[in-house]
Amino acid sequence: MEFNLNTMIRPHLAGVKSYQTLRDFFLNQKVVFLDANENPFGDFNRYPDGDPIQLKKKLAEINLAKTENLFLGNGSDELIDLTMRIFCEPAKDSIMIMNPSFVMYEIYAKMNNLQVEKLQLNSDFELEKGKFLDTISKSQAKVLFLCTPNNPTGNSIDDLEFYIQNFNGIVVVDEAYIEFSPEDSAVKLLNKYPNLIVLKTLSKAFGMAGLRIGVGFASPEIANLFIQLKPPYNISSESQKLALEQLNQVEEIQNNIGFILEEKKKLKKGLDQINGVVKIYPSDANFFLIEFKDAQLIYQKLLDKNILTSLRHPSLKNCLRISVGTAQENSELLKVLSEIN
Ligand SMILES: *Cc1c(COP(=O)(O)O)cnc(C)c1O
């Protein structure tokens, strides 16, 4: 499929000059900073690096990518919103999403006044190729959001490349849970598909949700667009520093992922024994989507014991999404569930 980035960008953005911090020109020089109206006193008085190069280098190394492919957001949430703001014209363009999938795609689309076209997943929450080809042949959607492993269903998309290849527009592959999954990251497909954007986050497997760091990967041209058009200081200096410290201990992060996956196996075994459970959907992530006879009742009973689960997705009746916690949290969950029956 012929892809021309210039025809994808919202026309008026071609002429927009982004904010340029003067400091970026004097990075290796010792200068007195009287340029940004900061307070000269205090521990956090300076603006952070606008383009955190050290953090990006580390993230590139971990993800087997090049720094010129990378761009960072205040959580991948910000990058989802920016994708729409860069490529989609309000009151005119549409995006395409899987249904059910991560609810924020639709929320950001509404905030940006975009139409949302939905690809209905089958009863196993899989995309169907025939249906996909049929839908896109009638669609003008500029951006397709694919989520794999999918939230809230937990399963991975089979033959991801098929969808990237056949969509005539930008394809965003949201890999918020990929580190838990046995599947390969789509980052290795970047050279092959100029229309591909891969989103990752430090919020899930990396255990840094509080730092708000999302990581985007795309061609250097697309990465540059995001760097130009993002808010100037979207990653705080403390987040940059703390994330780098944590990423330098990547072994510990790996160990925690291993531990969560072990716990997930045990949790699955326990859940299999619970009476009110109708179905546990296969998951490549750190949560299970579980169908109960009466999800509302289970949700409330768990809440009565101070356990909060997620009963939210409009198209998933009688399902709860439950995250894998610590060994103690998981056994508490199982204990409460077994007492309900
Ligand atoms: C959690 C989640 C995100 C958001 O991550 P942040 O980086 O914390 O904004 C993005 N996509 C999916 C599918 C998620 O589940």
Side-chain angles (χ1 to χ4, degrees):
M1 193 133 332
E2 199 68 46
F3 178 77
N4 181 349
L5 181 60
N6 292 323
T7 65
M8 296 306 302
I9 304 164
R10 289 170 67 192
H12 77 286
L13 288 178
V16 171
K17 278 254 172 298
S18 66
Y19 180 72
Q20 180 80 60
T21 69
L22 292 170
R23 229 166 265 183
D24 291 351
F25 297 108
F26 303 96
L27 286 178
N28 301 316
Q29 226 167 304
K30 202 159 168 50
V31 294
V32 178
F33 293 134
L34 299 179
D35 59 319
N37 300 346
E38 297 151 335
N39 187 319
F41 307 110
D43 292 333
F44 305 104
N45 61 331
R46 298 297 172 195
Y47 278 108
D49 284 354
D51 190 30
I53 195 65
Q54 267 186 304
L55 181 56
K56 281 171 73 175
K57 270 190 187 149
K58 189 74 203 173
L59 286 164
E61 178 193 314
I62 291 172
N63 290 287
L64 310 176
K66 299 202 182 96
T67 43
E68 67 245 40
N69 295 115
L70 251 86
F71 49 100
L72 303 181
N74 191 276
S76 52
D77 260 275
E78 184 177 54
L79 300 175
I80 293 167
D81 183 40
L82 269 173
T83 303
M84 296 183 197
R85 288 165 51 195
I86 292 173
F87 297 109
C88 302
E89 207 57 35
K92 175 169 174 275
D93 286 334
S94 58
I95 62 157
M96 189 177 286
I97 62 175
M98 322 190 304
N99 189 40
S101 192
F102 187 44
V103 291
M104 291 310 295
Y105 309 137
E106 192 164 0
I107 292 172
Y108 285 123
K110 289 198 172 138
M111 286 165 61
N112 287 298
N113 197 10
L114 305 175
Q115 298 294 314
V116 178
E117 297 176 40
K118 293 184 182 178
L119 279 166
Q120 195 58 44
L121 302 179
N122 70 16
S123 58
D124 292 323
F125 299 128
E126 281 160 354
L127 278 169
E128 283 178 354
K129 288 182 177 170
K131 200 179 205 170
F132 170 76
L133 292 177
D134 188 49
T135 309
I136 60 169
S137 72
K138 299 171 198 139
S139 161
Q140 299 283 329
K142 298 238 4 229
V143 182
L144 167 65
F145 285 89
L146 298 175
C147 187
T148 183
N150 190 21
N151 178 8
T153 62
N155 60 317
S156 300
I157 295 173
D158 208 36
D159 198 4
L160 184 66
E161 247 185 288
F162 175 85
Y163 304 95
I164 302 169
Q165 212 161 50
N166 283 294
F167 187 75
N168 188 15
I170 300 279
V171 180
V172 175
V173 177
D174 186 341
E175 296 188 333
Y177 301 94
I178 193 75
E179 296 84 4
F180 295 113
S181 148
E183 303 291 328
D184 273 352
S185 167
V187 165
K188 71 173 199 307
L189 301 175
L190 283 178
N191 287 333
K192 212 164 153 190
Y193 301 107
N195 62 332
L196 175 63
I197 295 175
V198 181
L199 298 183
K200 299 199 189 194
T201 177
L202 300 191
S203 297
K204 307 286 164 50
F206 286 93
M208 299 181 222
L211 299 185
R212 308 304 301 127
I213 298 177
V215 194
F217 302 84
S219 68
E221 291 76 24
I222 292 180
N224 253 326
L225 271 176
F226 277 84
I227 293 165
Q228 295 290 312
L229 297 169
K230 73 178 178 58
Y233 305 110
N234 60 338
I235 313 291
S236 79
S237 43
E238 284 305 282
S239 288
Q240 293 183 28
K241 182 174 136 239
L242 295 171
L244 203 53
E245 278 171 24
Q246 301 255 316
L247 292 173
N248 281 327
Q249 299 161 13
V250 93
E251 259 165 59
E252 200 176 314
I253 295 169
Q254 287 301 341
N255 288 344
N256 285 340
I257 294 172
F259 180 79
I260 290 167
L261 292 176
E262 279 306 305
E263 275 304 310
K264 182 182 157 192
K265 272 191 217 158
K266 285 192 228 159
L267 181 59
K268 168 80 170 55
K269 277 194 188 138
L271 288 166
D272 281 335
Q273 309 302 312
I274 304 291
N275 249 327
V277 170
V278 176
K279 181 164 184 176
I280 305 164
Y281 286 93
S283 167
D284 284 340
N286 65 331
F287 59 80
F288 285 111
L289 184 73
I290 307 164
E291 187 182 338
F292 290 91
K293 285 186 193 127
D294 184 348
Q296 182 66 51
L297 176 89
I298 304 284
Y299 175 81
Q300 191 54 51
K301 294 270 187 193
L302 287 170
L303 201 52
D304 291 344
K305 300 281 181 177
N306 300 317
I307 297 175
L308 182 61
T309 57
S310 182
L311 169 78
R312 275 204 293 198
H313 209 286
S315 61
L316 293 171
K317 289 215 176 59
N318 270 333
C319 286
L320 295 185
R321 193 195 62 200
I322 303 184
S323 318
V324 180
T326 63
Q328 199 189 345
E329 290 167 344
N330 302 333
S331 56
E332 181 64 20
L333 169 78
L334 289 170
K335 180 166 160 278
V336 176
L337 283 176
S338 63
E339 284 165 6
I340 296 171
N341 292 283

